[in-house]
Amino acid sequence: HQNHPYTITKDTNNMKPSEPSIHNISYLPPSLHPYAHLARLDKPIGTMLLLHPCLWSTALAYTPLLSNATVATSAASASPLAFTILCTKFAVGSFIMRGAGCTINDMWDAKYDKQVTRTKSRPLASGVLSYNQAWVFLSAQLTAGLAVLLSLEPHLQDCFIWGAASLPLVGMYPLMKRYTNYPQLVLGLTFNWGAIMGWVAVHGNNVDWSVVGPLYASGVCWTLIYDTLYAHQDKADDAKLGLKSTALTFGEDGTKPVLTALTGAAWGCWMLAGHNVGFGDVLDAPLYYGGVSAAAAHLLWQVYTADLNNVENLAHRFRSNNTVGWIVFASCVGGNLMMI
């Protein structure tokens, strides 16, 4: 039979996936392992990168409530319990929708994945799962995602509209590497939609774009940074297959200068979002401004220590962006605490 990462064979070399797992999924029944790999359950970093903008936005959406907490209704809605419940819903939704995005991506790209060293062992590319099985699985994922979306009371209608508005980007992104030199930009627009959703879940359609706009832009810049470094892992295969990426567009010499500029842009947007939400000047909220500056410093470390031709080096820096996300979230919470 065909050897693949989910088949137990006497040749142990064939049991090692081209993409090494980060999270152990051995607790699942063997029959579910292909679906777990299709949804990247073994690589939780993608879920975290999708979740973080949701958390940032939710935290900053609570800032106006805290500043007006003399109003009884505002004080109730700004409770730590309500905040924790909403963040938990976003965590569950991010887990589900990141998996759905991976399923869609692999359904579009199976024929290309077969020819790329890093991705040739994926379930659809290796033939472990059929397209019919993938369609059924995707339907289940989207149904579960809808259930989370429908739980976002009290602004359910607004959340539904904004959530549905992201679906064209989710479906379109996997195709972009065939048609544009900047597919990572489309990924940034998709993966950071939570920067809008967090605010809408708290305030409905009363979106303060002076806060949400810079926050969304900071996330897009952040994604361009981490996913350009990530794309350097596949640049040889992508070039051979005629696929496009910012790693190829910026090139060996241009990548680090461009990513340095994007780091400056992300930092500036984080600073602007904090100022516009009401944190005041730097000395008024040192936890926020100092925190996002530390996040920017982390990004600079990634860029300047990246070896663009070393897969392990790039993979480590990509995964380290979970730390960046948590630093920014902690900065938002810290800024809120200083307003109480």
Side-chain angles (χ1 to χ4, degrees), residues 26-50:
S26 61
Y27 60 89
L28 293 172
S31 61
L32 295 182
H33 286 188
Y35 294 99
H37 283 285
L38 183 61
R40 312 289 197 276
L41 188 61
D42 57 325
K43 300 177 186 67
I45 179 61
T47 295
M48 300 312 301
L49 295 176
L50 185 61

Side-chain angles (χ1 to χ4, degrees), residues 202-222:
V202 177
H203 296 288
N205 249 346
N206 185 24
V207 180
D208 185 345
W209 289 107
S210 72
V211 178
V212 175
L215 191 67
Y216 183 51
S218 71
V220 174
C221 292
W222 179 45

Side-chain angles (χ1 to χ4, degrees), residues 34-35 38 103 107 123-124 127-137:
Y35 294 99
L38 183 61
T103 301
M107 291 173 74
L124 285 172
V128 180
L129 291 179
S130 69
Y131 271 84
N132 285 340
Q133 289 172 309
W135 273 115
V136 172
F137 185 52

